[in-house]
Amino acid sequence: MKKSRITLYIIIALVLGVAAGYIYNTNVIGEINANISTADASIKTIDAQITATTDTTSAIYSQLKTERKTQLKAKQQYSTERDDKLVGFTILSDIFLRLIKMIVAPLVFSTLVVGVAKVGDIKAVGRIGGKTLLLFIGATFVSLLLGMLLVNLFSPGSAMHLSLPDSALGTDIKKSAISLKDFISHMVPQSFTEAMANNYMLQIVVFSLFFGIATAAIGEKGEIIIKFMDAVAHVVMKITGYVMKLAPIAVFGAIAAVVAKEGLGIIATYATFIGEFYLGLAILWTMIFFASYGVLKGKAWTLVGNVKDAILVAFSTSTSEAAYPRVLEELESFGCSNKIVSFVLPLGYSFNLVGSMIYMTFGSLFLAQAYGIHLGFGQQLSMLLVLMLTSKGMAGVSRAALVVIAGTISMFNIPEVGIALLLGIDPIMDMGRSATNVLGNTLATAVVSKWEGELN
């Protein structure tokens, strides 16, 4: 299979962005950053003096307060000047982000309706479909929960200390972030067009579920709807492919802007983030394998050995779909019934992308940490449930995890521009999560075959 060049182009853009950002930081932004640092140091010194002053009515106290306001104003002016000088870089990623947001709603709606309508045949399939969905839901939840636990344990974004964009300044992020109660009360849409227009992801998912189930329930009359929505899904996926071709340009602008603004020290944080994420994937691989080993016994080793080439294809091309034909062939050679493989494996590619799941919570909470936004356990659990729903039906979409994250973080008042932080390193992450998706779907299909007595 021909390896897509988009990953190579993105890596090249990443390197060029770092170089350009460093040069710009040194020659253009360096002096402004020095002024901002000076103002910060002055503010800290003044704060210490204010705290030590016991008489709040004295002239010294008033003078300190006035000086503090002066330093804050100077810092704001320098920050505005710095942002103005970075517009040339940030506009490149801003255009890409707007295009991503443009396709989120129609992509989720069309793909999820088709997926649910096909799962609607589960009444005829009966027992097999029920076991399959329960397995997928359980695996999805475990993967998302593992990502949430690890990102809280490692806190990779806490070292970045990024300032909130101007649009977020002056808002109380902690109070306005969505709670578990908000999640429940806002999950039912009052208008589908309103949900689509405003990219209310959860409401779109709820309507899509109803629409897909109803389409499957009307039988033959629903076939035309399924075919139409499937065509729409393919059109939107094609648009997604066009948009993703702009990714290298967006990567260059995003990384150049971050390095120019923060300096090369931020690269060390990225390296830590990547290492911790791959450690999380290793833990997930271990959990998946031993869970399947409990059902398949020694055959689990054989199956993993048989599909190692398919896993490598997924890793090198950064897409689990590239490995689909080989996985299908190997599962049938392994002894799985054709009817089980034909039913379970396609569903797995829409509903069981465990590698993508762990990345979604890991990446979303990383952005919250980077901006210093605290999300409590209830809020994080709400995010986990939102991601669990919005991620369904996204198979076949390049960089689908980024699309889902982009549509989710705004619900928790995490700056959408933060996606730029993930965009540059996403190709490296995508390789690992694609390989994990293949492993998860392969073992899940074999497990269902064993449960049904269809494994020879």
Side-chain angles (χ1 to χ4, degrees), residues 165-203:
D166 289 343
S167 59
L169 292 177
T171 60
D172 192 339
I173 298 297
K174 293 182 181 180
K175 292 183 179 179
S176 59
I178 190 171
S179 65
L180 184 58
K181 181 180 178 181
D182 294 329
F183 168 77
I184 295 173
S185 61
H186 291 119
M187 66 183 299
V188 181
Q190 63 179 356
S191 169
F192 174 62
T193 54
E194 179 189 26
M196 291 286 286
N198 294 287
N199 271 348
Y200 293 156
M201 298 302 300
L202 185 57
Q203 295 184 11

Side-chain angles (χ1 to χ4, degrees), residues 71-349:
Q71 291 297 327
L72 283 173
K73 183 177 180 179
K75 179 184 176 181
Q76 182 61 44
Q77 289 176 342
Y78 289 132
S79 297
T80 301
E81 181 183 355
R82 180 176 64 181
D83 290 340
D84 290 341
K85 291 183 179 296
L86 293 173
V87 166
F89 292 123
T90 57
I91 195 172
L92 299 177
S93 58
D94 288 345
I95 292 173
F96 180 81
L97 288 171
R98 293 181 69 86
L99 291 173
I100 286 290
K101 292 178 66 177
M102 174 187 73
I103 64 177
V104 166
L107 186 58
V108 169
F109 176 63
S110 58
T111 54
L112 191 54
V113 166
V114 173
V116 171
K118 291 180 178 179
V119 175
D121 294 335
I122 206 170
K123 294 180 179 179
V125 177
R127 181 181 64 254
I128 301 173
K131 291 179 179 179
T132 299
L133 289 182
L134 285 175
L135 178 62
F136 289 169
I137 291 172
T140 297
F141 182 80
V142 169
S143 181
L144 287 168
L145 183 62
L146 178 62
M148 186 183 82
L149 294 176
L150 291 177
V151 77
N152 278 283
L153 176 64
F154 296 136
S155 296
S158 300
M160 302 189 77
H161 303 296
L162 297 182
S163 57
L164 291 168
D166 289 343
S167 59
L169 292 177
T171 60
D172 192 339
I173 298 297
K174 293 182 181 180
K175 292 183 179 179
S176 59
I178 190 171
S179 65
L180 184 58
K181 181 180 178 181
D182 294 329
F183 168 77
I184 295 173
S185 61
H186 291 119
M187 66 183 299
V188 181
Q190 63 179 356
S191 169
F192 174 62
T193 54
E194 179 189 26
M196 291 286 286
N198 294 287
N199 271 348
Y200 293 156
M201 298 302 300
L202 185 57
Q203 295 184 11
I204 294 172
V205 167
V206 170
F207 182 82
S208 301
L209 290 173
F210 277 104
F211 196 95
I213 292 171
T215 301
I218 62 177
E220 292 184 5
K221 293 181 180 180
E223 289 296 324
I224 188 172
I225 300 295
I226 296 174
K227 291 180 180 179
F228 172 74
M229 295 305 300
D230 189 47
V232 171
H234 280 82
V235 170
V236 179
M237 287 179 183
K238 193 68 174 178
I239 295 174
T240 304
Y242 297 150
V243 172
M244 290 310 302
K245 289 182 179 180
L246 300 176
I249 299 175
V251 166
F252 172 79
I255 293 300
V258 170
V259 174
K261 184 176 182 179
E262 307 293 339
L264 282 178
I266 199 170
I267 301 299
T269 302
Y270 274 146
T272 302
F273 176 70
I274 294 171
E276 290 170 350
F277 175 71
Y278 269 86
L279 176 60
L281 286 184
I283 296 173
L284 183 60
W285 275 53
T286 303
M287 294 174 65
I288 292 172
F289 177 79
F290 282 104
S292 61
Y293 186 86
V295 178
L296 301 174
K297 306 304 180 184
K299 288 185 176 182
W301 290 105
T302 303
L303 181 56
V304 172
N306 290 349
V307 298
K308 65 179 183 301
D309 291 341
I311 293 174
L312 288 174
V313 167
F315 184 84
S316 60
T317 60
S318 298
T319 170
S320 53
E321 284 70 32
Y324 182 90
R326 185 61 182 272
V327 172
L328 184 68
E329 178 184 351
E330 291 295 343
L331 280 169
E332 293 185 1
S333 299
F334 180 68
C336 297
S337 170
N338 176 265
K339 68 177 182 180
I340 299 294
V341 175
S342 299
F343 177 74
V344 176
L345 192 60
L347 289 182
Y349 270 73

